[in-house]
């Protein structure tokens, strides 16, 4: 199995940027497709982005495309989420997740991921 630890969250003004990191330990990181999800208060957890095991295929929530970028460096066992032009509605706890299947397509259902980090809070002020 794999252990995931997110970092990089914080308070930022609207229009600003943040880069989240998710460090993995345990089983070989490149064995997992990785995803980012977020959950705002009183809302369901929602899909943000997904990246394939090699990093060559990425998917985004339609509403976030163009502002958020997912990437990974397998040599560093880390996946990133670069968030630009942040809006107050981006305020949420952001989670990274690992998918141990070999499926390379889009997966935006949180139930399809096997391991989760503890989350990092992102707050965007207006």
């Amino acid at each position: 199995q794999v252990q995931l630890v997110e970092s990089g969250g914080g308070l930022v003004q609207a229009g600003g940027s943040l880069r989240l990191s998710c460090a993995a330990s345990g089983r070989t990181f490149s064995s997992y497709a990785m995803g980012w999800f977020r959950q705002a208060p009183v809302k369901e957890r929602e899909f943000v982005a997904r990246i394939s095991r090699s990093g060559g295929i990425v998917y985004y929530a339609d509403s976030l495309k163009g502002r958020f970028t997912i990437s990974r460096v397998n040599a560093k066992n880390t996946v990133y989420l670069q968030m630009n032009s942040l809006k107050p509605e981006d305020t949420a706890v952001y989670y990274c997740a690992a998918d141990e299947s070999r499926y390379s397509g889009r997966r935006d259902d949180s139930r399809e991921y096997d391991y989760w980090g503890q989350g990092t809070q992102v707050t965007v002020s207006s």
Side-chain angles (χ1 to χ4, degrees), residues 104-118:
S104 61
R106 183 187 180 98
R107 278 190 163 175
D108 54 11
D109 187 337
S110 62
R111 295 169 295 181
E112 293 173 310
Y113 291 78
D114 302 290
Y115 304 100
W116 291 83
Q118 82 290 348

Side-chain angles (χ1 to χ4, degrees), residues 41-101:
V42 302
K43 290 190 175 181
E44 292 187 355
R45 191 167 297 190
E46 67 170 341
F47 172 75
V48 173
R50 174 180 169 93
I51 189 166
S52 64
R53 290 177 291 160
S54 68
I57 304 172
V58 296
Y59 301 95
Y60 297 95
D62 290 342
S63 61
L64 301 176
K65 206 176 296 184
R67 293 195 299 123
F68 288 15
T69 303
I70 189 171
S71 62
R72 68 190 295 165
V73 179
N74 285 344
K76 294 185 176 182
N77 292 345
T78 304
V79 61
Y80 303 96
L81 185 68
Q82 177 68 43
M83 305 186 294
N84 298 328
S85 302
L86 284 162
K87 305 174 181 180
E89 52 264 42
D90 294 319
T91 295
V93 178
Y94 284 71
Y95 299 90
C96 70
D99 173 7
E100 66 183 355
S101 79

